[in-house]
Amino acid sequence: MKRYFRFAGAGATATLLAAIVASPAHSAAPADLLQQWRVEAGAVPFSAARGRQLFESRVIDWSCATCHTSDPRAGGRHTVTRKPIEPLAPSANPARFTDEAKVAKWMRRNCKDVLQRECTPLEKGDVLTWLLTLKSGGQP
Amino acid sequence: MSDNLRLQRRVDWLVWALTLAFGVFAMHEVQGATPPAASRPSAPTPEAIHRRECGDCHLAYASQLLPAATWRQIMAGLDHHFGVDASLDPAAASAISSWLVQSAASPGRSSRESRDEDAGASLRITTTRWFVREHREVPASTWRRAAIGSAANCAACHTDALQGRFGERALRIPN
């Protein structure tokens, strides 16, 4: 009888492990993305100050802040269609930077719109590092 | 109690504790990572992909609003989509494209879109003849109001636009 329970327990553990490993959701935390960009970026440490500067900088007509506003804890608006945009800062919107595929898609598109090229891992890390310093209620 | 039995009991406890820990972890993962079951079909339909991907920046415009040829052109140029990079991964783009083309305005379905198709009209829904005609009473100053801002912002006035309805009953022009 004891042996039976022991195997049942081990079996359940294995099943749960398999379910977790096979889970299709690519959920991530902002820290996971930072870690990933950290590996790709090399030796230079991320800088919130540089991230903020990049967020406000414009090469042609738009900056990130054009749609996301200068305080990404607030909602923004798509500058062409005027559709409302949810806050970008994780402190104001915990769903942000939790879906790897979504982050990759929007970084690719928006960097090309603003900078006319894709962002480097260092630039992505800088911006996210800055966004993570924005706590609810404070000043940007 | 023999040493052997004690050891066996300890192993039992360890196995059950691990099972419980993984169970709690797994439940947490499932609840935290995925939306409610109702909005999470196992394989999203092309229509759902269209609504999700195209509806991020603007209303996911109904496929019947443009003819198939125009949709093909739009889907072939997503990286320069009205001045914005709207590129998609190839699988999503292809699913959306097939669906749009399949359910697009066709000459048999409506005469107004087929005329536009014949005329090689622009890619913009807002420059199709029927759109211009339907909105001819809206003065330019109304379009510029802060709450509207763009003719692409259907939902600003058509309060049922998200449900694909544009009837006059649900029309509320904001000040």
Side-chain angles (χ1 to χ4, degrees), chain A residues 6 13 81 105 108 113, chain B residues 8 12 19 53 57 85 87:
Chain A
R6 196 157 66 235
T13 308
T81 67
K105 179 178 82 176
R108 182 189 73 238
D113 281 339
Chain B
Q8 203 169 319
D12 288 344
T19 307
E53 296 292 352
C57 298
D85 186 327
S87 55

Side-chain angles (χ1 to χ4, degrees), chain A residues 2-14 16-17 19-20 23-28 61-62 77-85 98 102 105-106 108-110 112-113, chain B residues 5 8-9 11-12 15-16 18-20 22-23 25-26 29 32-34 52-53 55-59 61 79 82-89 146-150 152-153 162:
Chain A
K2 276 217 163 281
R3 184 160 294 178
Y4 167 77
F5 272 117
R6 196 157 66 235
F7 285 135
T13 308
L16 278 164
L17 258 176
I20 291 162
S23 157
H26 293 288
S27 64
D61 46 359
W62 296 339
R77 258 180 203 281
H78 194 290
T79 188
V80 178
T81 67
R82 311 305 297 160
K83 189 172 188 281
I85 297 173
T98 58
K102 203 168 173 178
K105 179 178 82 176
W106 284 104
R108 182 189 73 238
R109 290 171 164 188
N110 292 355
K112 282 187 177 170
D113 281 339
Chain B
L5 192 61
Q8 203 169 319
R9 212 165 260 182
V11 171
D12 288 344
V15 167
W16 281 108
L18 274 174
T19 307
L20 189 69
F22 275 117
F25 176 66
E29 280 283 291
T34 51
R52 187 186 66 207
E53 296 292 352
D56 263 339
C57 298
H58 53 66
L59 190 83
Y61 303 121
D79 52 340
F82 303 104
V84 176
D85 186 327
S87 55
L88 287 169
D89 72 82
I148 304 174
S150 161
N153 193 7
L162 283 173

Side-chain angles (χ1 to χ4, degrees), chain B residues 99-124:
Chain B
W99 180 76
L100 285 172
V101 165
Q102 225 170 57
S103 52
S106 65
R109 202 173 298 172
S110 157
S111 57
R112 62 193 181 205
E113 288 86 1
S114 61
R115 273 206 309 275
D116 286 319
E117 188 163 29
D118 292 342
S122 100
L123 302 180
R124 287 181 190 277

Side-chain angles (χ1 to χ4, degrees), chain B residues 24-49:
Chain B
V24 169
F25 176 66
M27 289 300 286
H28 184 260
E29 280 283 291
V30 166
Q31 283 173 353
T34 51
S39 63
R40 184 168 43 88
S42 49
T45 61
E47 199 175 350
I49 301 174

Side-chain angles (χ1 to χ4, degrees), chain A:
Chain A
M1 193 63 189
K2 276 217 163 281
R3 184 160 294 178
Y4 167 77
F5 272 117
R6 196 157 66 235
F7 285 135
T13 308
T15 310
L16 278 164
L17 258 176
I20 291 162
V21 171
S23 157
H26 293 288
S27 64
D32 299 334
L33 288 163
L34 275 185
Q35 178 57 32
Q36 189 185 317
W37 293 329
R38 162 87 282 123
V39 171
E40 294 167 13
V44 188
F46 293 143
S47 147
R50 246 184 357 241
R52 182 181 183 176
Q53 198 182 6
L54 181 70
F55 201 81
E56 296 280 359
S57 70
R58 60 188 70 208
V59 170
I60 299 180
D61 46 359
W62 296 339
S63 69
C64 308
T66 301
C67 296
H68 291 291
T69 80
S70 292
D71 183 355
R73 289 167 299 188
R77 258 180 203 281
H78 194 290
T79 188
V80 178
T81 67
R82 311 305 297 160
K83 189 172 188 281
I85 297 173
E86 298 286 310
L88 185 60
S91 63
N93 183 359
R96 291 292 192 183
F97 299 97
T98 58
D99 181 333
E100 212 179 314
K102 203 168 173 178
V103 172
K105 179 178 82 176
W106 284 104
M107 282 286 190
R108 182 189 73 238
R109 290 171 164 188
N110 292 355
C111 289
K112 282 187 177 170
D113 281 339
V114 171
L115 304 173
Q116 309 299 301
R117 60 168 174 81
E118 293 207 28
C119 288
T120 64
L122 183 65
E123 286 167 333
K124 293 184 221 179
D126 285 348
V127 169
L128 182 52
T129 299
W130 173 58
L131 291 174
L132 289 171
T133 63
L134 302 175
K135 303 299 175 205
S136 42
Q139 292 293 312

